[in-house]
Amino acid sequence: MEKKFKIRKDDTVQVIAGKDKGKRGTVVRVIAKKDAVIVSGVNMVKKAMRKRTQQDQGGIVEIEAPLNISNVAIVCKKCGPTKIGYKISGDKKIRVCRKCGEAL
């Protein structure tokens, strides 16, 4: 069975633990097998890359490394980092902010 996470791609999140605590970014990718997310501009690591083609540059590049999903919190436009709740309106299930009740 596929794991279901409350945080999805393109959500704005804030890091709540680790070396990049307090930084915000958008979720680039959710890795369900590792319980991890890749956030743009956060948890940058240097990686040695091999040159693949004539045009492609090799050498040391900075890329975003995965963060555990428990170390990020979704950001509400009104109240900042928050937890996610759900509301059922009609036949749709909508993610809402636990603090103010606004749809995320």
Side-chain angles (χ1 to χ4, degrees):
M1 196 174 117
E2 185 75 23
K3 284 185 185 174
K4 194 92 166 109
F5 294 115
K6 294 178 180 183
I7 293 171
R8 298 190 195 133
K9 189 180 171 185
D10 296 327
D11 281 342
T12 304
V13 292
Q14 182 170 327
V15 181
I16 55 173
K19 67 172 185 175
D20 289 321
K21 185 176 178 175
K23 285 189 183 175
R24 289 185 183 191
T26 56
V27 176
V28 178
R29 197 164 146 232
V30 177
I31 307 163
K33 284 183 180 175
K34 290 184 176 179
D35 296 358
V37 288
I38 295 175
V39 182
S40 62
V42 176
N43 201 23
M44 300 300 280
V45 293
K46 285 183 167 37
K47 185 178 178 188
M49 297 289 270
R50 181 175 278 130
K51 188 175 169 183
R52 287 200 203 108
T53 60
Q54 279 315 97
Q55 296 87 23
D56 190 32
Q57 284 280 313
I60 295 164
V61 293
E62 277 207 0
I63 62 158
E64 292 113 349
L67 282 163
N68 194 294
I69 206 155
S70 67
N71 294 336
V72 295
I74 195 156
V75 176
C76 173
K77 289 171 189 73
K78 278 186 185 174
C79 28
T82 183
K83 291 183 177 181
I84 301 171
Y86 288 100
K87 268 204 181 103
I88 296 163
S89 63
D91 58 344
K92 283 199 170 182
K93 191 175 176 184
I94 302 164
R95 295 184 306 160
V96 293
C97 170
R98 285 262 187 89
K99 291 179 185 174
C100 65
E102 196 176 305
L104 293 168

